[in-house]
Amino acid sequence: MTDTLASRSGPPVTYSLGVFPDAPPTLEAARAHANSQPLADIDVANPKLFHADLVEPYFERLRREDPIHYVVSPTFGGYWSITRYNDIMAVDTNHQQFSSEAALGGITINTVSSPLPMFIAMDPPKHDEQRRAVQPIVAPTNLRNLEPLIRSRAAAILDELPIGVEFDWVDKVSVELTAMTLATLMDFPQEQRRKLTRWSDVATAVPGGGVIDRPEQWVEEMSECFSTFQALWNERAARPPGNDLISMLAHGAGTRNMPPYEFQGNVVLLIVGGNDTTRNSITGSVLALNQNPEQYQKLREHPELVPSMVSETIRWQTPLAHMRRTAVQDVELGGKLIRKGDKVVMWYLSGNRDETVIERPHEYIIDRARPRQHISFGYGIHRCVGNRLAELQLQVIWEEILKRFPMIEVVGPPERVYSTFVHGYRSLPVRIPRAR
């Protein structure tokens, strides 16, 4: 197991942090820098920009002047940045010319020597066969059955929160609810659910970025993850089919004979997908409502707006900043010639701020006329399989919050994830005021 992982972990990833070598910049400084440097030199794939929440001025310029932009990154090599909504849609729905295959580099801008295959990093027909195996877990009937359990857990989590003192919303709420739900979907021991959170963080971590210190640590921790799930696979395969993700993979027609490294890849996909979208949107909703107090007041006065607020939060937050494809033939897009083999990066975070498609995209508006008009879940055959479950968890937690607390106050800056892929939070300090 370790030898296989070591061969797939790729070389150590290093990042150039030279864009802002001195004191942490302001948004104004980032905008001035974005507008002053040569357009050809703009490289948005710098995790420091995401960690500091300063990437948007660079996206703004690319959307305005060069929405299909080629640059050679010192870290990631040459890649195309696709930054407008409609262009992203054109790539995302065209799997015939833009491939997700792991063998061609997979779905992230960071190409390792041999990425783990998973169904999101496959093209049809194999993609369809493997996705079909897990789809029943998020079918409408199953979601209806899950809702009372999610609600009871959300209520218990909220009822245990301290009042009048500072605490970390990510740890106490966002991680807890998503870990509980994911453990249920996998029939994984609830008392060990935080392992799922840790493995999710490690799976997408950059060595030196605050989660792991060295590539060997990735191999060590993910070896434990894969060994654990291989044992679960063996156990579920020996039993009649069950209503959990591992059993579905072990018995599915398109997955029961897949090799171990494909199972490993799908484990990574399921734990990351089951964690990041929901937990970062739960956190992002608290931050966005505090940054827009008039919207928070509107929500308190009109709790029926929770579903709309959930969709607006998922657009606003965009939990995964990008997805990558590889051109399998020469393609013309927006007047640019993308060559066969080129890396094409769809910046969902930018598309969700596209002024030409979304009205007032830089504003957080919980009662938008079309709140579901966003690309946070992707489009086409790779649209997030768990999108409705993510929305359900956000809706339930906010319905329960509004029953209990007139206000959740953000009392300090968030710590953001150091990543160009996961657009999320490590911590968010908050306080629930005491009743007067």
Side-chain angles (χ1 to χ4, degrees), residues 97-374:
Q97 293 180 306
F98 298 102
S99 174
S100 304
E101 283 288 343
L104 297 177
I107 58 167
T108 72
I109 194 172
N110 179 31
T111 302
V112 298
S113 57
S114 184
L116 286 167
M118 55 189 73
F119 68 76
I120 199 174
M122 296 176 181
D123 295 330
K126 198 170 184 179
H127 161 271
D128 302 344
E129 295 168 355
Q130 294 200 0
R131 180 183 171 111
R132 194 177 300 123
V134 299
Q135 199 126 23
I137 204 79
V138 290
T141 299
N142 206 46
L143 292 184
R144 284 195 295 271
N145 293 336
L146 273 174
E147 180 177 351
L149 179 60
I150 293 171
R151 190 172 300 278
S152 66
R153 287 173 173 169
I157 289 168
L158 296 174
D159 287 341
E160 293 177 2
L161 293 178
I163 305 299
V165 297
E166 180 180 322
F167 65 93
D168 179 13
W169 183 263
V170 174
D171 179 64
K172 294 288 189 183
V173 181
S174 302
V175 167
E176 265 298 273
L177 183 61
T178 53
M180 286 180 174
T181 302
L182 184 57
T184 296
L185 297 180
M186 291 183 156
D187 194 15
F188 190 85
Q190 283 290 337
E191 64 274 14
Q192 299 179 38
R193 62 184 177 272
R194 286 297 181 112
K195 286 187 175 183
L196 299 175
T197 304
R198 175 63 185 175
W199 290 332
S200 176
D201 291 342
V202 171
T204 59
V206 174
V211 177
I212 58 174
D213 299 322
R214 62 195 194 288
E216 294 80 9
Q217 188 179 351
W218 189 96
V219 174
E220 293 163 4
E221 296 203 37
M222 295 311 293
S223 291
E224 180 193 2
C225 171
F226 296 143
S227 296
T228 300
F229 277 99
Q230 189 63 56
L232 290 175
W233 167 288
N234 295 339
E235 171 196 314
R236 308 289 160 79
R239 300 189 328 211
N243 189 34
D244 67 90
L245 287 168
I246 307 307
S247 182
M248 289 174 179
L249 290 173
H251 291 276
T255 53
R256 61 187 173 220
N257 295 317
M258 63 182 168
Y261 61 86
E262 283 189 9
F263 176 55
Q264 293 169 5
N266 281 315
V267 164
V268 170
L269 170 62
L270 294 172
I271 63 174
V272 171
N275 267 292
D276 284 330
T277 297
T278 309
R279 83 184 194 197
N280 289 319
S281 295
I282 290 173
T283 304
S285 63
V286 173
L287 182 61
L289 289 166
N290 271 261
Q291 292 172 335
N292 299 272
E294 75 290 348
Q295 298 296 309
Y296 204 168
Q297 181 61 32
K298 187 189 299 181
L299 183 67
R300 288 193 293 267
E301 294 172 355
H302 299 281
E304 70 275 10
L305 290 175
V306 166
S308 175
M309 181 275 290
V310 164
S311 293
E312 174 69 346
T313 296
I314 292 170
R315 178 196 73 86
W316 179 262
Q317 178 59 36
T318 316
L320 293 180
H322 79 264
M323 283 284 177
R324 171 261 181 98
R325 302 288 184 261
T326 302
V328 295
Q329 61 188 69
D330 290 358
V331 184
E332 183 176 323
L333 183 67
K336 301 288 185 73
L337 181 60
I338 297 174
R339 296 286 188 183
K340 179 180 178 180
D342 282 357
K343 186 187 304 186
V344 180
V345 179
M346 302 175 290
W347 291 106
Y348 294 154
L349 184 59
S350 176
N352 279 334
R353 298 293 191 275
D354 186 349
E355 303 87 342
T356 67
V357 173
I358 300 173
E359 185 178 2
R360 297 156 64 191
H362 299 286
E363 297 180 40
Y364 180 77
I365 305 170
I366 67 169
D367 54 353
R368 282 186 180 275
R370 299 176 62 192
R372 296 180 67 85
Q373 184 186 27
H374 63 76

Side-chain angles (χ1 to χ4, degrees), residues 20 30 33-34 37 44 49 54-62:
F20 299 110
H33 182 264
Q37 72 174 131
V44 289
L49 295 175
L54 294 172
V55 72
E56 177 53 26
Y58 300 86
F59 282 141
E60 284 178 1
R61 188 172 179 204
L62 291 184

